[in-house]
Amino acid sequence: MTVHPPAAPPPEEHRPDGRGPGRRPAGQRMPEDRGHMIRRRWLTAVIIVLLVGIPAGYLVISAGQSRESGIDKERESSAVGLQDNWPSLMKRRVFEVPVPAGASGVAYYETSNWRTSRLYVQFTTTATGLDAFLAGSGTSRSALVPGRTTVSARDADIVGWTFPDGLAWSGTTVDRESPRPDTDLTVDLTDPAFPRVFAVSTTSP
């Protein structure tokens, strides 16, 4: 009985790079299927939109808000003469013109340049309101000088105020240490129960 040696396995095919069959060179990627490619491109587009769109939208909104704010300020600064309204609480604090609660006929006007800023305010109040206003301004009724109008002709002309003879005018000036404002106060006490106040507060930034 003749025993035949086992058949030798077929010789393995070798590639020029020395790698065996079925092996992919290191770093070589599998072919990308269409679905994966579409998802990757879609994700990339979304990221680009977010990176570009969000800052752009923010800039548009900010620009719109700045423009509206600028328009409001421009309207206020370009208004000619007194505005029939209360000055903002911030203005009253900055210029130290504490218009008393319950005052009527309140109007104001503000001017500003690189050197000085002025707030013109007028209102009618009660005898008690006048005392409270003077105290809040750092002065008192005793400081009012009968027959004196402390608002200058220039300031009066800017807002159209007149101080005719025949009325019971009294006035004083509140001098404060810089940078706090100085305030010229002129009061019409013709009707002591309802005095009319004219104030010009000036500050130098």
Side-chain angles (χ1 to χ4, degrees):
M1 177 176 172
T2 305
V3 178
H4 297 282
E12 199 173 61
E13 225 178 89
H14 291 279
R15 297 180 181 178
D17 59 5
R19 298 180 182 276
R23 295 184 181 180
R24 188 171 285 102
Q28 182 176 340
R29 299 176 61 184
M30 289 283 291
E32 185 177 28
D33 63 83
R34 181 174 178 78
H36 184 271
M37 178 185 68
I38 293 174
R39 287 193 299 272
R40 178 175 57 79
R41 291 183 177 178
W42 181 85
L43 181 59
T44 301
V46 170
I47 293 174
I48 292 174
V49 169
L50 292 176
L51 291 176
V52 176
I54 291 178
Y58 175 77
L59 290 175
V60 170
I61 293 173
S62 298
Q65 292 176 340
S66 298
R67 180 175 178 274
E68 291 177 0
S69 177
I71 290 174
D72 291 340
K73 290 180 179 178
E74 183 179 354
R75 285 173 179 169
E76 182 176 355
S77 62
S78 64
V80 177
L82 293 165
Q83 301 178 57
D84 293 326
N85 202 351
W86 284 61
S88 67
L89 182 58
M90 178 176 291
K91 290 184 192 297
R92 282 176 271 161
R93 286 177 174 172
V94 169
F95 288 94
E96 299 194 40
V97 182
V99 181
S104 62
V106 181
Y108 80 96
Y109 180 64
E110 182 182 2
T111 63
S112 181
N113 56 42
W114 65 273
R115 188 173 57 184
T116 59
S117 297
R118 288 184 175 85
L119 182 67
Y120 302 77
V121 181
Q122 68 179 40
F123 59 88
T124 298
T125 184
T126 61
T128 302
L130 175 61
D131 290 333
F133 169 73
L134 293 172
S137 299
T139 187
S140 65
R141 192 183 288 258
S142 62
L144 295 175
V145 179
R148 184 184 179 196
T149 55
T150 55
V151 175
S152 69
R154 174 189 175 280
D155 285 334
D157 184 62
I158 287 175
V159 290
W161 287 340
T162 59
F163 304 105
D165 296 334
L167 299 180
W169 299 108
S170 290
T172 188
T173 295
V174 181
D175 296 314
R176 304 183 181 94
E177 186 175 352
S178 182
R180 295 175 63 192
D182 296 329
T183 306
D184 293 319
L185 300 174
T186 297
V187 184
D188 178 7
L189 290 169
T190 305
D191 184 350
F194 297 100
R196 184 74 172 157
V197 177
F198 301 84
V200 180
S201 188
T202 305
T203 183
S204 299

